[in-house]
Amino acid sequence: MFRKLLPIGLLLFVVACSAGGDRDNPPRNLNDACSMKSERSGWFRELDRVERKYNIPKATMLAMMYQESKFVANARTPQTYKLGIIPTGRVSSAYGYAQAIDGTWDWYKRDTGRRGAKRNDFGDAVDFMGWYMTETTRRTEVPLNDTYNQYLAYHDGQTGWLRGSYKRKGWLMDVARRVEERAILYHTQLLYCQ
């Protein structure tokens, strides 16, 4: 009996592991918010919820997430190597859609009571972004709709933004400008596809 059920069990296991895998992949067209919305309607329900909860524009969260992970659920920072071949760890502990680092993610879970939140869950990741940007506004007075400065504070941390550490990083200010431009693009697109 076991011999007859083993192949069926293995087949069911393989099918179960492969089912739904597409939702962990990024949307097909990352330059078109309307296309993303039709492909990932659940994501946009989460974005609507977070927008209502924290008053953060969807387009800002989408643009920042695009920059951080290109919508890859399990995105990680690059591996570092000693002598070019010996792995020594990652650039940072940043992980998931929002590229939240361990310490900040732990702070978020403690502060919000969302102990089971996962960085590779889209809804949890956008809730984290909304919470973090709200904290940024509280600590730095950067408006929630100021995508440029919100991104700088997201990347360099709120203390880094207050110290102006980004001012020595021309490359980062260029990235923040691109994030702001993408937020404008997404906002405009979302006006027409709703």
Side-chain angles (χ1 to χ4, degrees):
M1 177 76 166
F2 178 73
R3 282 185 173 178
K4 290 180 182 179
L5 292 178
L6 182 62
I8 294 170
L10 286 174
L11 178 64
L12 289 173
F13 176 76
V14 169
V15 169
C17 288
S18 63
D22 189 48
R23 80 193 137 98
D24 290 335
N25 294 325
R28 285 186 287 277
N29 187 351
L30 302 183
N31 295 317
D32 184 350
C34 295
S35 172
M36 289 193 298
K37 185 174 182 177
S38 67
E39 194 175 334
R40 298 287 195 281
S41 59
W43 284 10
F44 281 79
R45 282 190 296 278
E46 292 294 334
L47 286 162
D48 287 339
R49 178 186 61 78
V50 172
E51 185 177 53
R52 284 189 306 275
K53 180 177 179 181
Y54 294 108
N55 201 29
I56 310 241
K58 283 188 283 287
T60 295
M61 291 182 282
L62 283 170
M64 288 175 64
M65 193 174 285
Y66 170 90
Q67 181 59 43
E68 290 299 294
S69 68
K70 303 293 187 286
F71 303 102
V72 174
N74 61 352
R76 294 185 183 275
T77 58
Q79 182 77 286
T80 57
Y81 297 90
K82 189 173 192 166
L83 304 174
I85 56 168
I86 303 167
T88 57
R90 299 207 174 264
V91 173
S92 80
S93 63
Y95 174 73
Y97 287 111
Q99 287 295 283
I101 60 174
D102 292 348
T104 309
W105 189 258
D106 291 342
W107 174 29
Y108 160 72
K109 292 195 308 183
R110 275 191 317 273
D111 196 51
T112 61
R114 294 175 60 112
R115 291 179 185 16
K118 294 179 174 53
R119 289 181 277 184
N120 62 351
D121 178 279
F122 187 86
D124 292 341
V126 292
D127 194 78
F128 166 80
M129 291 179 100
W131 168 83
Y132 190 83
M133 287 188 263
T134 301
E135 284 294 309
T136 296
T137 298
R138 190 176 65 74
R139 292 168 175 238
T140 68
E141 298 183 2
V142 171
L144 292 171
N145 62 354
D146 181 351
T147 303
Y148 178 81
N149 281 294
Q150 281 284 348
Y151 183 75
L152 291 171
Y154 193 83
H155 186 277
D156 268 16
Q158 296 150 356
T159 304
W161 186 89
L162 287 167
R163 281 195 312 247
S165 61
Y166 62 90
K167 293 176 184 173
R168 297 182 301 278
K169 302 174 183 175
W171 63 269
L172 179 56
M173 291 188 288
D174 289 341
V175 169
R177 271 190 281 288
R178 287 196 301 273
V179 171
E180 181 179 46
E181 289 166 3
R182 181 167 291 277
I184 292 167
L185 171 71
Y186 285 159
H187 175 75
T188 303
Q189 291 170 340
L190 288 169
L191 287 175
Y192 291 101
C193 66
Q194 293 201 20

